């Protein structure tokens, strides 16, 4: 019967479209016809109370539940003075029309108003609809924060979705018209174009999807393919792929003539072209976002290899990108299915293997000559390298005369050489002193005290500090008042003031480079002094400005060396001052952090000499305690990697790091300080990790994966099938690879899952065991997903459930497995298989809606096949329980609610969902009662009958006892079915000693015993047929040939006379010619003939009763056995709400 469903299913969509088209044509004729018989206003009701009630009712909802009352009021009320108010109320009420019935009910009501008031109501109402579906203004959106804008877009989509559907219907039925005699196709195309054109975030894309789902046929001329997915019973396995591969070549049948179309052909073609162009734009953006996501994933992976963790900002950015990409991909897939256009080919994620191989340039999206891609680089990534190394040369932007650079002469060259020589010698001397101090520190390090410094070092440090001037650090002062907005700065001083005021906002490389060029044009000694003073007074809470200010200094330093020298000297003096005040911890913590960060950034720009930063590191290492530990951590985090991997400082800084690790191991530091040092050390010197080795697969496995993942398509499925059949199926490795590929449907494209099920169906003819193993593994994966409920596997679980539905469509499993899976999804993990409202279950929390998604996916895949017979009844029962399960959850999110509405409308368009959990619970209770009554389950009134029922229960029902004795007792007490009295027919039935199941028919043992006795009786009858005496033969002949009515009368008389006079009457049949005659003979009841005859009659009666019971239960046996599981799950207990 299931196979015969393919024919009506094939034309279901086209039939529905034709029905809708006929309704629209009929309503359009009514709307466009001239109203010849208008109702007289005097006969209509003008009551203010009824008019107010109508407006209130319309404002609440225009759905199908209010349609009859609204229509009645429109026909009986005057409404002339209230057309404007009714128009505004109708627009508000349209936002609550969710289903197709609600939309059509609203269209009929609006059509009635249009026919009565075509001039006073319709123009104003169309204007209100146009405003309701218009996009929000850019000025308004610019004032909103990103989070507020996202919420505004979400609420706008919910509000505009039903209004667009109503507008589309009104444009088809002649209420909205582009011009007299034309449809409203141009109106809808303009509205959709306005929503999509000014939407860079693609927030209005769901509105287009909603429009195309219902109106792609009348507005775009797109007809869905007529081929059905259900496999017919006559199709041979192995031949299905040929028919599907050639199905696209047959084209799409035209169901309507051009004269019958509701939208003009020109408008349809332009509308379709516009939608296809928009799909191309969305596809291009999808490819771009896909590449960006892969690039971000590669960077995150490299960062994880370097530092062992991914920072929170990177992680949040990646999660946000992933969420946006998944949303865009889902929308693009929906458009692809609705427009019947292929999805863009996304680049394969080859960057996964390349991103692991740090140090190679294969597959890199960055410059190939960058040392930032190697693990030994002194830069974290390419962006950081460009920031610190790509310094612009001011000569390219500023004239040499402005910079004070003249043509070089021989004397200048010689002076420069001498100065360079003196500088190199001075640096060498400083380095030599530093190395000697470091050696002394290493020798005395083992005997150092907790402070880690000798008396001589303290004395030397005190001399250095006392000889240095004491700066007075403070916050920057307002040097000049803010500029007047009316007057632009004129002189150099005002220009410099304006430039310095802009510097706190220069937080990008482009802005700071432009600021350097602007300052070069204002170069003077006074300007440089003001800049130095400004740089040394950076606010303590603006540490984000330090890298950009350091870049500004690095750009100016080659031509204005006094800027870098003065700032470095000022920072050095400040560091010495802070060392002197190291006992002041909290008050100067931010100042210390700013000082170290500024020095570190200038070090990476090579403005601070290497010996100076190493000396600062050594000073902190001498006094290895208190704030110096935090200073060391800051130095390591900011410039430790640079110092450790630069050629000039590599050896000396590595020795200092080793000394720091030894001191850290000898001293007892608190946990916070230990973590600071450990994190800083591994950030500047991360452990070396080799690239992850790529998994090596044998050629056969690569070939199979290539066939399934790359080649498989509708046109190539026949080729793939032939190649798979040519494989060596006797090889266990080949079978293992095929089983692994076929049981992981989430690794292929979602649209190709049906093709994978088709391949499994075709292979069933040649490898039936393989198809069975695939089905078993899929069921096991679904069960494991319910047991674990891991968020990261949700996409896999969706693909697995989709694959299960496709396997049913191709007749690889029965409907019983589908319904078992559906029931297990809504009941698994809940106590006694019954979910309760807001009951926290670890594997199915009230705020976890993923199981609802699984049910919707399975219903969308194969729910259309359960539309008749017992399967329709099973699906109705499941939906009843499913609605109760939904009410046990928290309020559904918008996307889950829309998915649920679409899925239920697809399988049961006229089914109404209960509004409250109480109504859902009552419906479930009624469903259980009806189902158990249909199974013949009747309770006994006494305790003794309950015990007899348990004693007589066969072994096949032992699985019901596994639910626990307590649950069974509770079920028997609370069962509403067991409160009913037993059937009166049970008292008059004579049963044998081995009684079959009282409720569900005889079991296997009773049937086997009956067959054995029947065979024995036949054998005895045939063997002893000649040995029967004459009287017994006459009795048997008498019972066989006497008419039933006469024989029944004879039996009744026999019973009466047997009781009264102890005689038994026998009827003798005689025949004369063609006439039969009977006469009675009285025989004593104690005679052998009477006793044997009486015994034979009683045995016949018992056998007839047993055969009657078998015949009556035969057709219901299969359904009754399935309902045994339902009884075990529910135990016939009503679902009661607590609290």
């Amino acid at each position: 019967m299931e196979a015969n469903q393919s024919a009506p299913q094939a034309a279901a969509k086209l039939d529905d479209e034709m029905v809708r088209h006929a309704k629209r044509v009929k309503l359009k004729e009514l709307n466009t016809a001239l109203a010849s018989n208008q109702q007289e206003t005097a006969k209509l009701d003008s009551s203010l109370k009824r008019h107010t009630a109508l407006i209130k009712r319309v404002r609440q909802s225009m759905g199908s539940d209010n349609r009859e009352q609204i229509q009645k009021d429109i026909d009986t009320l005057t409404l002339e003075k209230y057309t404007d108010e009714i128009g505004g109320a109708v627009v508000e009420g349209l936002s609550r029309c969710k289903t197709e019935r609600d939309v059509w009910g609203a269209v009929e009501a609006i059509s009635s108003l249009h026919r009565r008031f075509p001039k006073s109501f319709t123009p104003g109402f169309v204007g209100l609809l146009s405003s309701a579906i218009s996009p929000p203004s850019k000025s308004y959106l610019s004032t909103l924060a990103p989070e507020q804008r996202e919420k505004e877009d979400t609420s706008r989509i919910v509000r505009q979705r039903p209004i667009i559907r109503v507008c589309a219907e009104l444009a088809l039925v002649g209420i909205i018209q582009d011009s007299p005699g034309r449809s409203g196709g141009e109106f809808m195309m303009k509205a959709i174009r306005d929503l999509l054109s000014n939407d860079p975030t693609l927030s209005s894309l769901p509105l287009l999807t909603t429009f195309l789902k219902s109106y792609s046929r009348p507005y775009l001329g797109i007809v869905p393919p007529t081929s059905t997915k259900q496999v017919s019973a006559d199709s041979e396995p192995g031949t299905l792929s040929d028919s599907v591969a050639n199905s696209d070549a047959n084209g799409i049948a035209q169901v309507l003539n051009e004269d019958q179309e509701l939208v003009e052909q020109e408008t349809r073609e332009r509308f379709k072209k516009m939608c296809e162009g928009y799909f191309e734009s969305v596809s291009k953006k999808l490819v771009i976002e896909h590449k960006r996501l892969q690039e971000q994933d590669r960077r995150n992976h490299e960062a994880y290899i370097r530092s062992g963790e991914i920072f929170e900002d990177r992680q949040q950015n990646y999660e946000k990108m992933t969420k946006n990409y998944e949303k865009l991909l889902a929308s693009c897939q929906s458009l692809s299915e609705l427009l019947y256009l292929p999805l863009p080919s996304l680049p394969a994620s080859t960057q996964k293997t390349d991103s692991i191989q740090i140090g190679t340039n294969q597959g890199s999206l960055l410059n190939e000559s960058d040392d930032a891609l190697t693990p030994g680089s002194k830069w974290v990534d390419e962006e950081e390298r460009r920031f610190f190394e790509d310094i612009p040369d001011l000569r390219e932007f500023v004239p040499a005369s402005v910079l004070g650079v003249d043509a070089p002469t021989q004397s200048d060259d010689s002076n420069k050489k001498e100065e360079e020589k003196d500088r190199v010698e001075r640096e060498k001397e400083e380095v030599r002193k530093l190395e000697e101090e470091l050696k002394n520190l290493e020798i005395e390090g083992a005997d150092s005290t907790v402070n880690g410094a000798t008396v001589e070092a303290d004395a030397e440090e005190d001399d250095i500090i006392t000889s240095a001037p004491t700066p007075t650090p403070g916050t920057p002062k307002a040097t000049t008042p803010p500029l007047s907005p009316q007057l632009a700065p004129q002189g150099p001083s005002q220009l410099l003031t304006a430039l310095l005021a802009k510097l706190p906002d220069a937080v990008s490389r482009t802005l700071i480079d432009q600021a350097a060029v602007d300052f070069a044009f204002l170069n003077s000694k006074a300007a440089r002094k003001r800049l130095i003073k400004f740089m040394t007074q950076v606010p303590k809470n603006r540490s984000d400005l330090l890298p950009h200010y350091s870049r500004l200094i690095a750009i100016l330093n080659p031509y204005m060396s006094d800027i870098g020298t003065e700032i470095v000297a000022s920072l050095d003096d400040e560091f010495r001052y802070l060392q002197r005040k190291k006992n002041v911890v909290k008050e100067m913590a931010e100042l210390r952090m700013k000082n170290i960060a500024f020095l570190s950034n200038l070090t990476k720009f090579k403005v601070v000499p290497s010996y100076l930063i190493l000396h600062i590191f050594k000073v902190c290492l001498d006094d290895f305690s208190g704030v110096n530990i935090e200073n060391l951590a800051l130095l390591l985090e900011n410039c430790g990697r640079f110092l450790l991997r630069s050629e000039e400082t590599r050896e000396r800084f590595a020795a200092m790091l080793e000394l720091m690790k030894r001191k850290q191991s000898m001293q007892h530091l608190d946990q916070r300080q230990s973590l600071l040092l450990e994190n800083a050390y591994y950030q500047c010197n991360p452990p070396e990790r080799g690239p992850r080795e790529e998994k090596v697969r044998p050629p056969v496995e690569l070939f199979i994966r290539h066939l399934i993942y790359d080649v498989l398509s509708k046109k190539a499925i026949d080729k793939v099938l032939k190649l798979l059949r040519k494989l060596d199926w006797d090889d266990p490795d080949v079978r293992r690879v095929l089983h692994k590929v076929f049981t992981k449907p989430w690794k292929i494209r979602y649209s190709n899952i049906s093709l994978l099920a088709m391949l499994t169906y075709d292979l069933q003819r040649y490898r039936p065991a393989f198809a069975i193993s695939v089905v078993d593994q899929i069921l096991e994966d679904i069960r494991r997903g319910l047991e674990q409920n891991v968020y990261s596997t949700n996409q896999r679980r969706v693909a697995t459930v989709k694959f299960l539905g496709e396997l049913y469509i191709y007749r690889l499993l029965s409907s019983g497995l589908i319904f078992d899976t559906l029931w297990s999804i809504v009941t698994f993990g809940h106590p006694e298989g019954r979910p309760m409202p807001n009951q926290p279950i670890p594997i199915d929390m009230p705020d976890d809606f993923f199981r609802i998604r699984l049910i919707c996916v399975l219903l969308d895949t194969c729910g259309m096949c359960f539309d008749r017979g017992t399967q329709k009844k099973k699906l109705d029962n499941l939906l009843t329980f499913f609605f109760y399960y939904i009410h046990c959850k928290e309020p559904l999110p918008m996307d889950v609610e829309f998915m649920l509405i679409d899925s239920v409308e697809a399988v049961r368009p006229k089914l109404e969902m209960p509004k409250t959990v109480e109504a859902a619970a009552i419906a479930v209770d009624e469903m259980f009662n009806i189902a158990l009554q249909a199974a013949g389950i009747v309770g006994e009134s006494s305790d003794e009958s309950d015990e007899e029922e348990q004693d007589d229960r066969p072994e096949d029902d032992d699985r019901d006892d596994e639910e626990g004795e307590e649950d069974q007792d509770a079920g028997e007490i609370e069962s509403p079915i067991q409160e009913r009295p037993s059937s009166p027919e049970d008292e008059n039935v004579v049963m044998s000693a081995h009684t079959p199941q009282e409720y569900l028919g005889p079991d296997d043992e009773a049937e086997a015993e009956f067959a054995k006795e029947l065979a024995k009786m036949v054998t005895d009858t045939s063997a002893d047929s000649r040995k029967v005496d004459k009287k017994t033969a006459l009795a048997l002949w008498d019972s066989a040939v006497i008419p039933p009515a006469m024989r029944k009368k004879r039996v009744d008389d026999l019973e009466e006379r047997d009781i009264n006079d102890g005689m038994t009457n026998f009827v003798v049949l005689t025949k004369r010619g063609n006439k039969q005659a009977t006469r009675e003979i009285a025989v004593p009841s104690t005679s052998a003939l009477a006793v044997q005859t009486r015994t034979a009659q009683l045995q016949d009666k018992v056998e007839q009763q047993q055969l009657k019971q078998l015949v009556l239960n035969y057709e219901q046996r299969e359904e009754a056995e399935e309902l045994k599981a339902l009884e075990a799950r529910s135990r016939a207990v009503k679902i009661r709400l607590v609290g």
Side-chain angles (χ1 to χ4, degrees), residues 691-707:
R692 186 180 303 174
E693 295 183 0
E694 184 179 1
K695 185 176 181 180
V696 179
R697 294 185 173 92
V700 175
E701 181 177 356
L702 293 176
F703 176 69
I704 295 174
R705 292 169 64 90
H706 172 68
L707 288 180

Side-chain angles (χ1 to χ4, degrees), residues 52-216:
T52 306
L54 172 62
I55 294 174
K56 183 177 180 181
R57 186 178 297 109
V58 168
R59 182 175 285 108
Q60 288 178 352
S61 176
M62 287 288 292
S64 58
D65 50 351
N66 293 335
R67 182 185 64 177
E68 296 180 359
Q69 186 62 36
I70 293 175
Q71 190 68 40
K72 180 180 178 181
D73 291 343
I74 292 174
D75 295 337
T76 58
L77 298 179
T78 57
L79 303 177
E80 292 180 356
K81 300 179 181 180
Y82 304 94
T83 54
D84 294 339
E85 297 182 22
I86 292 175
V90 168
V91 174
E92 293 184 24
L94 291 179
S95 60
R96 295 171 179 84
C97 298
K98 294 183 178 180
T99 63
E100 185 177 355
R101 293 176 56 192
D102 294 341
V103 171
W104 186 251
V107 171
E108 289 181 340
I110 296 170
S111 299
S112 300
L113 290 171
H114 167 73
R115 290 194 293 271
R116 287 197 57 188
F117 310 104
K119 296 182 180 180
S120 60
F121 171 77
T122 304
F125 177 68
V126 172
L128 292 176
L129 288 179
S130 179
S131 301
I133 61 176
S134 61
S137 61
K138 294 183 180 180
S139 59
Y140 170 70
L141 292 178
S142 61
T143 60
L144 299 178
E147 297 179 356
Q148 295 178 347
R149 181 170 182 175
E150 184 176 357
K151 292 181 181 179
E152 174 65 23
D153 289 337
T154 303
S155 62
R156 178 177 61 84
I157 291 171
V158 176
R159 186 173 62 253
Q160 290 182 345
R161 189 188 299 266
I163 299 178
I164 285 183
R165 296 180 65 179
V166 173
C167 289
E169 292 286 355
L170 295 178
L172 293 176
V173 298
I175 296 180
I176 298 177
Q177 296 181 348
D178 301 328
S179 60
R182 290 180 61 88
S183 66
E186 293 283 350
F187 174 85
M188 290 305 303
M189 184 168 63
K190 181 178 181 301
I192 297 295
R193 184 173 62 244
D194 291 342
L195 287 171
L196 302 178
S197 58
N198 299 322
D199 185 24
T201 60
L202 302 181
S203 59
S204 300
L205 186 54
L207 297 177
L208 177 62
T209 304
T210 301
F211 176 78
L212 292 178
K213 280 183 179 179
S214 303
Y215 306 104
S216 60

Side-chain angles (χ1 to χ4, degrees), residues 426-440:
R426 186 169 60 255
E427 289 184 359
K428 288 182 179 180
E429 183 66 21
E430 294 289 343
V431 169
R432 185 184 60 79
K433 291 180 180 180
L434 184 63
E435 290 178 350
E436 292 178 356
E437 294 174 358
L438 186 59
K439 290 180 180 179
N440 295 332

Side-chain angles (χ1 to χ4, degrees), residues 505-530:
D505 297 329
V507 290
S508 67
R509 191 170 59 181
T510 305
L511 294 177
I512 206 67
D513 292 350
Q514 183 61 39
V517 175
D518 295 341
F519 182 82
F521 282 102
L522 302 174
N523 181 22
S524 65
K525 188 174 182 180
R528 291 196 296 271
K529 286 183 178 180
R530 287 186 61 182

Side-chain angles (χ1 to χ4, degrees), residues 534-549:
F534 181 84
M535 290 295 174
T536 54
Q537 295 179 350
V538 180
K540 293 180 292 185
N541 58 351
R542 291 300 306 271
S543 58
D544 59 307
L545 297 175
L546 299 179
H548 300 89
Y549 286 0

